[in-house]
Amino acid sequence: MFAAGPSESWPALVAAGRGWRVRNLGLAGEARLDPALARTIRDTPADLITLELGINAYIRGGFTARTWGPAVCGFVETVRDGHPDTPVVVLTSLAAPGREQAVNEAGMTLVETRAATAEAVRVLQRLGDRALHLVDGLTVVPVAEAGRVYADGLHPTAEGEYVLADRIGAALDKIPLD
């Protein structure tokens, strides 16, 4: 939203710094684990897939504590149908001051959504998905640092995009790309 341009969003910066081609399917507030999006990712060639999951669905209140985990699992499993061995990285929600403990329309806090996302990933890992990786969004943007990264408590500033690129890029550098 506040990036200086498309080539200066964190996904573009991470890709450019590593010589990767990027296809960013960021959906401006509409990323809510839609099956059509999972099928699009499933059907698109990729060497690495990153999924930043949680904040938009939390804000819109579309999932309850019972439905969030299965929705994450179903989304990832659909992606896996087309990419059985491709590294998939799930990034939980970044910090969102003022929202961490706020209860949404479906009765969940952002903290609970983040924990349920992480648990869904761990379930899939225990079921044998060795190419599925988890990055805790709070390690990328801790609540205490959000003010220097965000313009409005949620969207990164132009400079914040570079902070995210450095931190997310460092996390992605730890993922084995075979």
Side-chain angles (χ1 to χ4, degrees):
M1 179 171 188
F2 296 98
S7 64
E8 294 187 62
S9 65
W10 73 258
L13 293 167
V14 169
R18 287 155 184 78
W20 299 344
R21 288 182 30 224
V22 66
R23 178 169 298 173
N24 185 349
L25 299 176
L27 296 174
E30 293 299 320
R32 296 189 239 166
L33 300 176
D34 297 311
L37 181 58
R39 289 189 301 273
T40 298
I41 297 168
R42 175 197 67 197
D43 297 341
T44 302
D47 296 320
L48 171 69
I49 297 166
T50 61
L51 305 171
E52 184 182 355
L53 302 179
I55 192 68
N56 292 321
Y58 158 77
I59 289 171
R60 303 288 188 218
F63 295 92
T64 65
R66 192 203 70 70
T67 61
W68 178 252
V72 169
C73 288
F75 192 93
V76 172
E77 289 175 318
T78 298
V79 170
R80 269 286 170 243
D81 288 342
H83 299 280
D85 301 314
T86 302
V88 173
V89 179
V90 173
L91 173 63
T92 66
S93 299
L94 307 178
R99 290 183 168 94
E100 292 293 320
Q101 296 296 333
V103 177
N104 69 9
E105 293 177 22
M108 291 185 76
T109 66
L110 186 56
V111 169
E112 292 167 336
T113 302
R114 194 180 291 115
T117 302
E119 180 57 22
V121 169
R122 287 191 290 272
V123 164
L124 294 172
Q125 289 170 331
R126 284 193 301 268
L127 290 172
D129 192 336
R130 300 198 193 306
L132 181 61
H133 307 274
L134 178 67
V135 175
D136 181 351
L138 290 179
T139 65
V140 176
V141 178
V143 173
E145 292 183 28
R148 78 178 202 105
V149 176
Y150 299 141
D152 60 358
L154 184 62
H155 300 95
T157 63
E159 298 81 20
E161 295 283 355
Y162 283 86
V163 171
L164 293 178
D166 288 345
R167 293 178 182 177
I168 295 170
L172 294 178
D173 288 341
K174 297 175 185 174
I175 306 300
L177 301 177
D178 298 327

